[in-house]
Amino acid sequence: MLQFIYSQLIRLLLPFILLRLWWQGRQAPELRRNWQQRLGFIPRISGTVVWVHAVSVGETIAAAPMVRRLLARSPGITILMTAMTDTGLTQAMKMFGDQVQYAYAPYDTPGSIRRFLNRANPKILVIMETEIWPNMIRQSRSRRVPVFLINARLSERSARGYERVKGLVAPIMRSISWVAAQADKDAERFRRIGVAASKVAVTGSVKFDVDIPETVREASQKLKVSFASRPVWVAGSTHEGEDAQILAAHRQLLNDHPDALLILVPRHPERFEPVAGKVTKLKFSLARRSLDEDPSGAEVYLGDTMGELMMLYGAGDVAFVGGSLIERGGHNPLEPAGWGISVISGPHVFNFETIYQRLLDDRGVTMVEGADELYRRLLVLFNDADEREASGQRALSVVSKNRGALDRVVDGIIERI
């Protein structure tokens, strides 16, 4: 009954969802492109299809090493990558080109999911992290399509929320074939909300298997050389409410290191223009990557392009990981850690609690609260090259010693293809 009520509510909301999509498309026309795919109208796909669903950019990046490994081990399969956002699909296309197929994920109405499954006919559905869509999961299983939750994480806050609607959630959880959890706490929470204990394994996080393609390394090195010997720090995946604090810290840093450069990379493309305006309003000299402007005379280099954050991290000496000075839950600190550079974060990191705890245990990250603490940590790192190098190596060491989850996950998928 709860499943029925949920499906009817989604159907009733669908016209408003589509209206919102059209409205947002006024300023971002790419949102209107291929909108029919969101209703399940995708081109028909033949062969052995592995459907990999990643909600947005972060999950798409996390899925990349797994997709590369699957293609290497089973070259005859067809990978269909879906995302809910245009930025997620853009990221996937940038990484894989014509190696895989792409589509927007269907909205979770019974009809949209049915049309999508009829056209894609997947052999297996691999969902990154914790995208729990009732109709997507239930209809897939009703067609004997195994459903895997990969790199699965579940915060205590989310687990309590699911427990409040356990009548709806538990049947969905029973439809999941395998949960590859990041940590013991995640596994325990999935069991609490209805996944059978035999279907839950602790594989670790595939994000530790950081994969930096050679093309990305070359582009990063080329950019780094152009900065000469300037002190460079990267503030990646920033959100509204963080930029002012980051820029305040940079202003203080410039008093001590006048040649310091901040590479500022907002998380979402709709914020590129507002952040550029904020930078100039605060009287920083600005260069924008999207305009191919020379950063040599700039105090702030705005990373206002899509799919380049990993490359930009590699061009820096220090990285601040955004989404953490506000209660957003943080973003993936392993991207800069994989480069062996110093990592700084705010205190709000509940989306990556296991990863951050391992970094904290080995002093591979420094947590700060606000602009002043951020400035003081930056000053220490730029005044002490040995500490900067050592902290970066500690972060890289955490990445290195926690690798291996990817092999376990890929083995589990290959067994079911």
Side-chain angles (χ1 to χ4, degrees):
M1 179 58 70
L2 286 174
Q3 175 82 22
F4 175 79
I5 293 170
Y6 164 82
S7 295
Q8 297 311 307
L9 284 173
I10 291 290
R11 282 174 167 146
L12 289 171
L13 288 171
L14 185 59
F16 300 99
I17 295 170
L18 291 172
L19 182 62
R20 179 172 178 266
L21 182 70
W22 175 85
W23 184 259
Q24 291 175 326
R26 294 178 311 137
Q27 294 183 326
E30 61 275 6
L31 290 175
R32 296 180 181 176
R33 232 172 266 135
N34 297 319
W35 65 271
Q36 300 94 332
Q37 293 178 357
R38 300 177 187 269
L39 299 180
F41 294 104
I42 64 168
R44 292 192 179 273
I45 304 173
S46 59
T48 302
V49 178
V50 176
W51 175 11
V52 178
H53 175 60
V55 61
S56 192
V57 175
E59 295 79 10
T60 301
I61 292 171
M66 178 190 74
V67 170
R68 291 191 185 98
R69 195 74 60 86
L70 286 171
L71 289 171
R73 289 182 55 179
S74 298
I77 65 174
T78 298
I79 301 285
L80 171 61
M81 294 197 72
T82 63
M84 301 299 293
T85 66
D86 62 301
T87 53
L89 282 188
T90 299
Q91 177 69 51
M93 292 174 185
K94 194 175 185 70
M95 291 188 298
F96 294 110
D98 60 2
Q99 290 180 281
V100 307
Q101 298 196 35
Y102 312 92
Y104 282 111
Y107 291 133
D108 202 43
T109 65
S112 298
I113 298 295
R114 182 174 61 254
R115 285 187 289 271
F116 189 96
L117 290 171
N118 285 342
R119 287 162 171 78
N121 192 25
K123 180 77 171 177
I124 186 170
L125 167 56
V126 178
I127 301 174
M128 295 302 297
E129 302 197 0
T130 317
E131 278 288 287
I132 299 174
W133 294 104
N135 286 313
M136 179 189 287
I137 293 172
R138 293 291 296 276
Q139 284 200 38
S140 295
R141 285 300 293 135
S142 71
R143 296 177 182 229
R144 300 181 182 273
V145 176
V147 179
F148 287 3
L149 280 188
I150 299 302
N151 212 43
R153 58 183 172 86
L154 190 63
S155 69
E156 183 59 32
R157 178 191 298 182
S158 296
R160 286 197 296 267
Y162 284 128
E163 284 181 310
R164 285 194 286 270
V165 288
K166 198 166 184 177
L168 173 64
V169 171
I172 301 163
M173 294 296 102
R174 288 195 291 271
S175 296
I176 294 174
S177 308
W178 188 45
V179 175
Q182 293 188 20
D184 290 329
K185 287 182 179 179
D186 298 302
E188 187 273 327
R189 291 166 188 155
F190 276 107
R191 295 184 192 106
R192 271 169 45 194
I193 65 172
V195 182
S198 61
K199 295 181 178 179
V200 181
V202 180
T203 60
S205 174
V206 300
K207 291 185 177 181
F208 282 107
D209 292 88
V210 177
D211 179 20
I212 307 177
E214 192 56 37
T215 53
V216 173
R217 291 187 182 276
E218 290 171 359
S220 185
Q221 180 60 28
K222 182 179 178 181
L223 182 61
K224 191 176 182 69
V225 168
S226 74
F227 297 148
S229 58
R230 295 180 69 180
V232 179
W233 67 291
V234 184
S237 295
T238 65
H239 289 255
E240 179 66 36
E242 292 185 304
D243 306 298
Q245 299 180 71
I246 289 164
L247 291 168
H250 190 53
R251 178 68 73 196
Q252 294 182 75
L253 182 65
L254 287 170
N255 292 329
D256 301 280
H257 293 275
D259 60 340
L261 176 65
L262 164 63
I263 302 177
L264 181 57
V265 190
R267 179 70 174 181
H268 298 115
E270 61 268 24
R271 296 189 61 245
F272 291 163
E273 289 300 330
V275 172
K278 184 173 293 185
V279 171
T280 54
K281 185 177 180 180
L282 292 171
K283 296 185 170 21
F284 289 95
S285 55
L286 172 68
R288 298 182 62 164
R289 183 160 180 82
S290 64
L291 302 178
D292 199 27
E293 294 177 337
D294 183 3
S296 59
E299 295 167 322
V300 177
Y301 188 37
L302 186 64
D304 54 350
T305 55
M306 291 303 301
E308 291 198 311
L309 178 58
M310 192 66 163
M311 185 277 291
L312 292 171
Y313 273 138
D317 305 299
V318 177
F320 169 80
V321 182
S324 58
L325 285 175
I326 57 171
E327 292 193 21
R328 172 62 177 73
H331 292 292
N332 183 9
L334 299 178
E335 292 174 12
W339 284 103
I341 63 174
S342 300
V343 182
I344 306 173
S345 172
H348 304 290
V349 295
F350 52 83
N351 285 335
F352 292 85
E353 59 180 350
T354 301
I355 289 172
Y356 269 100
Q357 190 55 59
R358 291 182 184 177
L359 285 167
L360 284 168
D361 289 344
D362 286 10
R363 296 185 303 126
V365 65
T366 300
M367 313 289 269
V368 300
E369 295 200 32
D372 288 342
E373 286 191 18
L374 176 56
Y375 154 68
R376 287 195 290 272
R377 180 58 180 165
L378 288 168
L379 187 61
V380 167
L381 293 171
F382 284 124
N383 284 346
D384 188 342
D386 290 340
E387 169 57 17
R388 189 170 67 247
E389 174 71 19
S391 63
Q393 288 304 306
R394 290 195 297 269
L396 180 59
S397 175
V398 172
V399 173
S400 299
K401 74 180 184 181
N402 284 282
R403 289 181 182 274
L406 183 60
D407 288 329
R408 292 188 285 274
V409 164
V410 171
D411 287 343
I413 295 172
I414 292 289
E415 287 176 7
R416 304 300 289 269
I417 294 177

